[in-house]
Amino acid sequence: MSSLDAIGVRVEGPDLKALARRNAEPILHEIRHALARLLESGEETVIDLRGLPLSDFDQDFLVGELGVGELECRLDALGKSVIQETAYHGVWLVTHFNAGEQIIGRFVEVTFVPAILKSDPIDIRSDLDRLTERLAAGLEEGSAGEVDSQ
Amino acid sequence: MPSNMTLGERLRKQGVSRRGFLKFCAATASMMALPPTAVSALAAGLEKARRPSVIWLSFQECTGCAEAITRSEAPTLENLIFDYISLDYQHTIMAASGDAAEAAREKAMHENEGKYIVIVDGAIPLKDDGIYSTIAGMTNLQILKDTVKHAAAVISLGTCAAYGGIPKASPNPTGAAAVSEIIKDKPIINVPGCPPIPVVITGVIAQYLAFGKLPELDALGRPKAFYGQNIHDRCYRRPFYERGLFAETFDDEGAKAGWCLWKLGCKGPITYNACAVTKWNYGTSFPIQAGHGCIGCSEPDFWDKGGFYEPLSAGTFSAGGRLAAAAAVGVAVGVGSAVLARNSQKALHHKEGA
Amino acid sequence: MSLLDFARGPALEWSLIIFVIGVVWRLAGTFLFKGQKYLSKPKGTKFVSAGLMAIANKSFPPHELEKRITFQHYTGYLFHIMLFIVVFLFEPHIAFFDWALGISWPGLPTNVITFSSAVTVIILIALGIRRATDPVMKKLTTIDDWISWFLTITPFITGMMAFAHQNIGVRYEDLLALHILNVCLLLIWIPFGKLMHMFLLFPGRYQMGEKFEYRGVKA
């Protein structure tokens, strides 16, 4: 690292922070409108942060501005995902990682509960079958079985 | 893997839960620049998608395009989709060689007549009957025509296949041409870039798998989802451009502060690609973020559009010599006309005096 | 070859060649032309040469007419200042001069340029309307004026459009190409029309001042 550190590149400065603030502000306005819509009509909004021209610094600034709320869920499916309610109720930050821990998707969801948290009927059906089989087998051989994850 | 299994079934077979699948679809939609509202349609489409046969032809190319898509280390979205297709012929990475390899191509064409996809990377030399690049005794031109005849669609992968690229750069000694200059009767999707972004390659395939049709293309045959906007309009350095803050050299204060690279020859404003949003190396960075202007590699003839380090407001020729010559011509004509004027003046004076 | 390739390549090259030949031709022809020889002595006793005085004097409205020509005089000044700012102090333009002449200088923030361009266009439209409606101006106006007016205003409009291409929904490269082609037409026109005043204005005033001096007239 020492040789890389020796390269005189400055990546942060007062300019960048002002820039990040300017880039984040319209998104915060959009979130404010989305929250109002959610209350009035129940309409949910998803904002794809990677679809916006934000630098990592800008994104971090925005995420810092949204803050950390009461609830955080972890999902293990095709790598980790973090579903976090921000300091604003109803505004969720959903970050998907791949198995290599790289971010493959980052969304701000304005909703009562993010869709990915709900159990899906297809999974429920197959697990219902599994439980039925297990009861029919008299709960023998091994434990309850683990949730497959990859 | 049974070839009749859908993508959804296959993922479930691999232990991917519905949540995992939704996450996969959300990330895929994000990389395809689809609006978040399209995730459910994408999920429904991918769930039912069938495994396509793909024949990959490599012609006048450097293998950079194949490297770009096959070199990912961790399991990624691009792998998941790429693994799912049935890649029946790719002479760089297939186990078979010689006659067996060519037989595999023939077999895939025969078994999937009218349904297989042909990926082409590299330009095709046309000069002297195409003798400048041959595989198994056949010219690239022959192989292309033969293979594409019964294909469903062609994906021109990389700038060489899409527009001729570097082989076609002046003076183009081999008469290199793009796929679209040769094949006129099949749908062609251009996925240019030197190389193209891996997720863009798989994004195009995913879109084909999910929606069963080819994506919407721009005037240069590129999918609008990825090539709809220029680099400049999606660039995080854009605010500096708006404010007129430009790096003048690669090591001045402006360069260190991350100012706009327009004056250093960045071709972002005239280059359509997803680099600024999707980025490279798992979303780590892209050329402009690394401090170098865009060279416009996803555009036709990018190699011959003037210097990479000349700004867009500069001409694409060298100004000095000819303009000096023009000035000399101007002086000569000016002196001549002045002399003529003086003479006629003199004549007039004499006349008046006489 | 795309439209932009054509604009940045052959179009710009040939228009620059015509521009240089034309301007140098006219300047050389004008300066080498032998003026009328005066046998009398200059009447003035001024310390500063009459030519330079004329350049200075002519830069202000003559007192007697001041009230009547306020509009065109001051809008003219404003227009030329704004034009100078836009042409010479917009960073991408400086990059052009750097390429063409090998010299560069600091520019102004882009919002200043945008404002100046808008002011320039508004003044040009106002002066154009005046030229088209004022009875005296109508008599003085020739096709040269209209060509010069048109070729001056269009690069400003296409330049601003190129900068704001996202709001218009036209691709940047097409608008940039249009802008450069506009400038090419302007370059070709400059040596052959009234726009040549950019080179001849001050030499002309100088010469007039010197001539008038022999006749004892204040320029």
Side-chain angles (χ1 to χ4, degrees):
Chain A
M1 275 308 284
S2 59
S3 60
L4 282 180
D5 290 341
I7 301 172
V9 174
R10 193 173 67 230
V11 289
E12 284 184 30
D15 243 343
L16 281 190
K17 191 150 190 193
L19 184 63
R21 195 176 297 124
R22 241 206 317 279
N23 280 338
E25 211 178 282
I27 300 163
L28 290 169
H29 275 291
E30 194 180 334
I31 291 170
R32 188 174 71 84
H33 287 298
L35 268 178
R37 275 201 305 274
L38 182 67
L39 270 185
E40 280 165 22
S41 62
E43 186 191 334
E44 298 174 338
T45 306
V46 181
I47 299 168
D48 181 355
L49 289 185
R50 297 210 316 164
L52 301 170
L54 299 174
S55 70
D56 294 346
F57 190 78
D58 296 347
Q59 267 196 33
D60 291 346
F61 182 89
L62 178 70
V63 169
E65 196 60 37
L66 289 173
V68 176
E70 302 168 328
L71 190 62
E72 178 178 308
C73 309
R74 252 185 72 121
L75 166 70
D76 261 311
L78 291 168
K80 198 178 68 163
S81 289
V82 179
I83 299 111
Q84 162 118 56
E85 194 172 34
T86 68
Y88 301 96
H89 285 98
V91 181
W92 299 75
L93 182 69
V94 180
T95 311
H96 297 307
F97 298 86
N98 65 11
E101 303 264 304
Q102 285 125 3
I103 294 178
I104 54 169
R106 208 175 195 192
F107 304 87
V108 170
E109 293 197 24
V110 180
T111 173
F112 293 107
V113 57
I116 202 160
L117 289 181
K118 293 178 197 154
S119 296
D120 189 272
I122 294 178
D123 287 340
I124 295 174
R125 180 153 300 123
S126 87
D127 287 351
L128 172 65
D129 291 347
R130 199 157 48 92
L131 184 58
T132 309
E133 273 169 32
R134 191 155 168 77
L135 284 170
L139 299 177
E140 277 171 10
E141 44 179 284
S143 63
E146 297 202 339
V147 177
D148 287 331
S149 69
Q150 185 184 322
Chain B
M1 174 181 15
S3 58
N4 58 354
M5 211 182 245
T6 68
L7 180 57
E9 286 164 351
R10 183 185 181 232
L11 290 173
R12 268 198 295 288
K13 195 95 180 166
Q14 290 178 325
V16 177
S17 70
R18 186 72 189 170
R19 281 198 187 97
F21 182 65
L22 278 181
K23 167 176 169 174
F24 168 80
C25 290
T28 306
S30 171
M31 99 194 169
M32 286 161 66
L34 294 173
T37 46
V39 172
S40 55
L42 180 74
L46 282 179
E47 171 72 45
K48 296 196 206 87
R50 298 274 168 191
R51 194 170 182 235
S53 167
V54 173
I55 297 173
W56 180 322
L57 304 173
S58 297
F59 297 141
Q60 279 181 302
E61 47 85 43
C62 67
T63 314
C65 296
E67 287 280 338
I69 188 168
T70 56
R71 278 281 171 163
S72 43
E73 285 153 20
T76 57
L77 288 178
E78 33 291 31
N79 293 140
L80 279 172
I81 296 173
F82 199 64
D83 288 352
Y84 181 66
I85 65 172
S86 172
L87 187 57
D88 294 324
Y89 178 89
Q90 210 293 2
H91 67 206
T92 310
I93 55 178
M94 71 196 302
S97 63
D99 289 342
E102 297 310 308
R105 181 171 66 87
E106 304 270 343
K107 183 164 172 272
M109 285 165 58
H110 185 69
E111 286 176 357
N112 304 287
E113 196 172 313
K115 286 183 290 187
Y116 61 91
I117 295 173
V118 175
I119 293 179
V120 181
D121 68 329
I124 301 99
L126 298 181
K127 200 172 165 190
D128 301 327
D129 295 325
I131 55 159
Y132 296 104
S133 178
T134 60
I135 298 161
M138 286 167 82
T139 65
N140 291 169
L141 184 62
Q142 285 170 317
I143 295 178
L144 178 68
K145 284 185 170 168
D146 187 47
T147 310
V148 166
K149 202 181 288 170
H150 302 295
V154 183
I155 298 176
S156 292
L157 188 64
T159 304
C160 298
Y163 308 127
I166 293 172
K168 196 191 172 191
S170 177
N172 189 7
T174 64
V179 172
S180 57
E181 293 174 67
I182 297 158
I183 303 299
K184 302 288 182 191
D185 57 347
K186 295 283 175 189
I188 298 173
I189 311 162
N190 288 333
V191 184
C194 193
I197 302 172
V199 292
V200 174
I201 304 170
T202 45
V204 170
I205 296 173
Q207 200 157 353
Y208 183 67
L209 289 178
F211 301 117
K213 57 176 186 186
L214 300 174
E216 199 189 344
L217 306 177
D218 72 2
L220 289 169
R222 302 175 290 201
K224 282 186 176 168
F226 302 105
Y227 298 90
Q229 278 177 305
N230 68 41
I231 304 280
H232 183 62
D233 290 344
R234 307 289 279 177
C235 179
Y236 78 103
R237 294 193 189 211
R238 175 74 193 242
F240 291 115
Y241 171 81
E242 305 281 354
R243 283 154 65 194
L245 296 174
F246 298 92
E248 303 278 342
T249 64
F250 284 107
D251 58 353
D252 68 0
E253 281 303 301
K256 286 174 191 168
W259 289 358
C260 179
L261 300 168
W262 201 97
K263 288 178 88 174
L264 289 170
C266 182
K267 302 295 180 286
I270 59 163
T271 304
Y272 292 78
N273 206 340
C275 301
V277 177
T278 308
K279 303 191 179 174
W280 286 83
N281 299 324
Y282 318 113
T284 305
S285 182
F286 72 113
I288 293 171
Q289 195 172 343
H292 191 287
C294 167
I295 63 170
C297 75
S298 58
E299 295 296 316
D301 305 322
F302 77 102
W303 205 259
D304 295 318
K305 281 179 184 286
F308 288 153
Y309 302 98
E310 292 290 355
L312 283 170
S313 56
T316 53
F317 51 95
S318 102
R322 289 200 190 180
L323 293 190
V329 171
V331 169
V333 179
V335 168
S337 60
V339 167
L340 281 180
R342 281 184 179 205
N343 286 342
S344 63
Q345 211 175 7
K346 222 179 259 173
L348 204 68
H349 271 281
H350 282 301
K351 218 180 192 175
E352 277 171 2
Chain C
M1 183 186 274
S2 71
L3 191 64
L4 183 61
D5 293 337
F6 171 71
R8 292 178 65 206
L12 186 63
E13 181 164 12
W14 282 104
S15 52
L16 275 174
I17 287 173
I18 294 169
F19 170 78
V20 171
I21 292 180
V23 168
V24 174
W25 168 5
R26 283 201 63 185
L27 288 180
T30 308
F31 292 137
L32 294 174
F33 186 79
K34 201 176 171 189
Q36 202 179 346
K37 202 170 182 181
Y38 287 96
L39 301 172
S40 61
K41 279 192 176 152
K43 304 284 187 295
T45 52
K46 281 193 207 82
F47 186 65
V48 185
S49 99
L52 293 179
M53 282 305 289
I55 290 178
N57 284 338
K58 289 281 165 205
S59 299
F60 299 97
H63 186 64
E64 304 79 5
L65 300 175
E66 201 173 344
K67 280 192 183 138
R68 305 193 59 149
I69 61 167
T70 307
F71 177 75
Q72 65 262 43
H73 190 83
Y74 290 104
T75 47
Y77 255 106
L78 188 61
F79 160 73
H80 280 95
I81 291 168
M82 293 296 171
L83 178 125
F84 177 86
I85 289 174
V86 176
V87 173
F88 293 104
L89 299 178
F90 181 41
E91 289 282 0
H93 294 168
I94 296 171
F96 170 81
F97 291 112
D98 192 12
W99 165 79
L101 306 170
I103 45 170
S104 72
W105 49 85
L108 284 178
T110 308
N111 49 10
V112 177
I113 305 299
T114 310
F115 173 78
S116 305
S117 305
V119 172
T120 310
V121 169
I122 291 167
I123 293 176
L124 274 174
I125 290 173
L127 291 175
I129 291 173
R130 184 170 165 278
R131 187 175 282 283
T133 53
D134 187 288
V136 178
M137 287 303 292
K138 269 184 0 198
K139 288 209 187 307
L140 295 172
T141 299
T142 66
I143 186 72
D144 183 342
D145 293 291
W146 285 119
I147 295 173
S148 299
W149 179 86
F150 180 78
L151 291 179
T152 307
I153 196 170
T154 43
F156 280 90
I157 294 171
T158 51
M160 284 200 291
M161 281 166 75
F163 192 77
H165 71 101
Q166 271 177 305
N167 307 329
I168 315 170
V170 182
R171 290 192 163 208
Y172 176 80
E173 61 268 33
D174 295 334
L175 289 169
L176 181 65
L178 204 60
H179 178 62
I180 293 175
L181 289 173
N182 265 187
V183 172
C184 290
L185 286 178
L186 180 66
L187 283 171
I188 293 170
W189 177 246
I190 283 172
F192 306 109
K194 290 192 177 181
L195 292 176
M196 192 64 193
H197 77 264
M198 68 178 69
F199 296 104
L200 292 177
L201 176 74
F202 291 115
R205 281 182 184 170
Y206 179 86
Q207 196 187 22
M208 187 169 65
E210 292 286 311
K211 274 190 175 180
F212 280 14
E213 181 80 345
Y214 285 96
R215 298 182 178 180
V217 179
K218 193 181 143 202

